[in-house]
Amino acid sequence: MINLCFHGIGTPPESVPSEEAVYWITADTFRRVLDEVVDQPDVRLSFDDGNTSDVDVALPELVDRGMTADFFVIADRIGRSGSLSADDIRRLRQAGMGIGSHGMRHRVWRGLSAAEQHEELIDARDRIEEVVDEPVHTAACPLGRYDRGTLSALKRLGYSRVYTSDRALARPGTWRQARFSLTAGDTPGDVAGWFRHGERYTVRAADAARTFVKGLR
Ligand SMILES: [Zn+2]
């Protein structure tokens, strides 16, 4: 299966840092990508950073197509200009979307001190749980980066699923889920290409498994 990750849709507001703005795609591209994948059962969608385009653009398009997605929000940005408010997040949840943590301050989860790790993995989750009034047990690594220490902390703290941006296929049900993030230049054709690559990959893996089993006989 394949995980697709979106960030912002439309024109990024000035509050969005330039290193995040490259992940913004047009509303037209977004709709065409959704149409490309709507009938694919092995596609999962997620949205990082908690931009207001999540509710302004993505939510109605998802609802129109009967699709769901996971939204990873940055705890410290909730209610800020350009970011989802607490009410927006509850609206997403009530529409059947998943809500997960993207940490407190959108800093890289590598080489964190004990205090930083506490803030990113515990305090941020607490704050998001207060908003949705239920447990939060998924996380997405900011900027797609992580290290072994962060992964083991996430596991120890009871996160049931952690999403990266490793541009690889994912196996359903595994704890660590790789994702393909769309960037400004990506087209629906590119996304279709990732699928084709994915199919080849799956076939090769199946062939390898059969070869292995044959080897045991
Ligand atoms: Zn992010």
Side-chain angles (χ1 to χ4, degrees), residues 5-7 20 23 47-50 72 74 77 102 106 140-144 165 179:
C5 178
F6 303 94
H7 290 76
E20 294 176 22
Y23 291 98
F47 294 78
D48 283 7
D49 298 356
F72 296 96
I74 302 168
R77 288 193 193 168
H102 201 37
H106 212 234
C141 300
L143 309 159
S165 307
R179 297 180 298 178

